[in-house]
Amino acid sequence: MEKKEGDPVSSLGENVFVFSPDMDMMEVQQLIDSIFEVQTKPESEFNENRFAFLFEPGQYSLDVKVGYYTQVLGLGQSPDDVVINGAVRAVSPPSHNGSVLINFWRSAENLSINPTVDSTNVWAVSQAAPMRRVHVRGNLRLHDYGAASGGFLADSKIDGVVDFGPQQQWFSRNSEWQSCTGGLWNIVSQGVLDAPKEDWPNRPYLSLDYTPLIREKPFWTQDALGELSLEIPTLKEKTNGVSWEDGYDPNSRKIALSDFYIAQPQHDNAESINSALNQGKNILFTPGIYWLENSIEVTQPGAVLIGMGLPSIIPESSKPVIKIADVADVTLSSILVDAGLVQTEQLIEIGEPGADSDHSEHPTSIYDVFVRVGGYHAGTSQNCVTINSNNVVVDHIWLWRADHGNGAGWDTNKAANGLTVNGDDVTIYGLFNEHYQEYQTIWNGENGRVYFYQCEMPYYVPSPDVWQNDGKNGFASYKVSEDVATHDVWGMGIYNVFFNSPAIVDWAIEAPEQLEQRFRHVTTIWLGGNEGSEVKSIINGKGDAVNKTNRKAIW
C-alpha cells in the first residue's frame, strides 16, 4: 500500500488510499478499521480529516466500515468490476442506541457488494451520505433499528429487499430492487423498477415512472496501465432503471487524470486554481480543507470541478467560494462548503444576475454538494446557493444551517436562506434544505421542477415576535414568487421543532394560488418542541395545522 514517488496515486495526497486485490487483506482491513475508529468518534462529526478509499477492479474480502468524511469508490467501468465480499457499511455509533440522525458526510460509489452477514448490507445514514452506482447482491438495510433521517440512492441495483425501516424520508432515483418495506413519511422513488405502489396517504410512498432529464454522476475508472480517468455519462431523457447494466456507453466523455489540475489543500488557493481553469484544466480537489480569500471563477464551458474524499472549501472573505459564469455544461461535484466567519451574500453562485442563455442542450450539472453554516465553526452567509443560469440540473444537495455543533445558535450562525433560484427550467432531484432563519427556498424562475424536498424549519426561534414576515407569522419553508406561472414539486416533507418558544408559522408553503395543486404529496409534521408552537396551514392558509395535538397533516 506504500505510495511510490512518481506514481499518479502519490499526487492525490496521503489520505487517498488505492487498494488492489493482490494486497494483504488483513493489512487493508486494519487500515480501514483504524480510520473508521477515528472517524466514528463523536468529536469527528466536525473534524478536519478527509479520506478516500479507491478500489481497483477485482475481488476483495473486507468489512469496509465508513465513517465521517470518507468516500469509497470503485474504479471499474461497471460496478460489478469491483466486488466487496463482506460489507460496505455505515452503522450507528456505539453510544447512539441505533440512531443514525447524525450519520452525515460519507458516500459509496461504483462497486458491488456481496453481503456475508444475513445477505444484508447496512447503509444506515441520514443526510449527505449518498449511495450511487452500487450493486448490492442481497438486501439493503437503510437503518440501524433507531431513528434515521435520510437519504439518497441513485443508479443502483439491489437484488433483494430494501428496508427503509424508520427512515423519515428517502429519495431513490433510477434504481432497481426486488421489493421494499418500511419508511415513515416521505419515501420518493423516481425511475425505480419495482418501486412501491402508491396508496397515499395511507402509505408514505410516491413512485414516479421515469426521470425526465439526467446526466448520471461522473465516476472514476482505471485502465489496464493503471491510469485514472473520469467518465462523464451522456445526458438522457425519460429514463428508468440503472444506467450501467447494458454495458459501456460509447457516447460518454472520458477525461484523463492528466487533464486535471490536482489541487492540494497545503498549497493551493483561488489564484492557483483559477490559473489552471484559465489554461483549460479541470479541477480535482484532493482530501483536506481549502481556505480561500478569493472566489474560484469558472468561465470555461464544460469545466469539471470534482472533489475526492469530501474536501471542504471555506471562504476567508465576503466573496463567494465558487462563481460559475453563465456557460454550458459545467460539472460541480462531491464538495463540502462551509460558510466563513465573514458574512457572504452567497457561497455558490451559478450564472451572473440576469443570466438568460439557453443551456438546454448542455445543462450545468451539480452532484452531491453539501453546504454548512455553522457546525464546524460559527459561519454566516445571507444565502447559500444562488442559481441564476437557466437549465441547471441538481442531483442531490444538502444545505444545512447547523442546529448543533460549533457556533450553532440563533444569533451566532446567521443565515437567511439556503437556496435562491432565479433561472428558468431548473430541475432538482433531492433537495434537502433546512434550519435557515427566513425562507429556506426561494424560487423566482419559470418552469422549475423539484423531485423530493426535505426541510426542518429553524429550531431555536427565540420568540414569535422576532419571527415575522410582511404581516405573517414566521417564514414559509418554500416560497414561489407571485409572478411565476409554472412550477412543479413532487414529494415534500416539511417538519418543525420549535424548542425555545411557541413559534407560529402561518404557511409551510407560499405560492401563487394557481400553482397550489402542483405541489403533490406534501407532508407537514410537528416533531416536538414548545407545546404552543404551530404551523397553521400547509399552503397559502389551506390544509390542516400541525401542533402538539395534531402532529401530521397531508396535502
Side-chain angles (χ1 to χ4, degrees), residues 291-365:
W291 296 85
L292 304 182
E293 291 187 1
N294 295 301
S295 302
I296 296 172
E297 299 194 17
V298 183
T299 60
Q300 298 293 325
V304 175
L305 290 81
I306 189 168
M308 184 177 284
L310 283 81
S312 291
I313 307 176
I314 308 174
E316 292 187 282
S317 70
S318 61
K319 300 175 183 178
V321 165
I322 296 173
K323 295 178 67 175
I324 299 174
D326 187 30
V327 295
D329 203 26
V330 173
T331 297
L332 180 64
S333 178
S334 302
I335 63 167
L336 176 60
V337 172
D338 279 292
L341 300 175
V342 178
Q343 188 179 63
T344 54
E345 284 299 310
Q346 57 260 333
L347 292 166
I348 300 174
E349 182 181 71
I350 303 170
E352 305 88 351
D356 62 359
S357 299
D358 182 348
H359 300 302
S360 56
E361 295 296 318
H362 301 284
T364 282
S365 296

Side-chain angles (χ1 to χ4, degrees), residues 23-41:
M23 289 179 172
D24 185 322
M25 288 300 111
M26 290 185 63
E27 290 185 10
V28 173
Q29 188 68 63
Q30 289 171 359
L31 173 64
I32 291 171
D33 289 349
S34 67
I35 291 174
F36 177 76
E37 183 179 357
V38 173
Q39 293 305 101
T40 197
K41 292 179 179 178

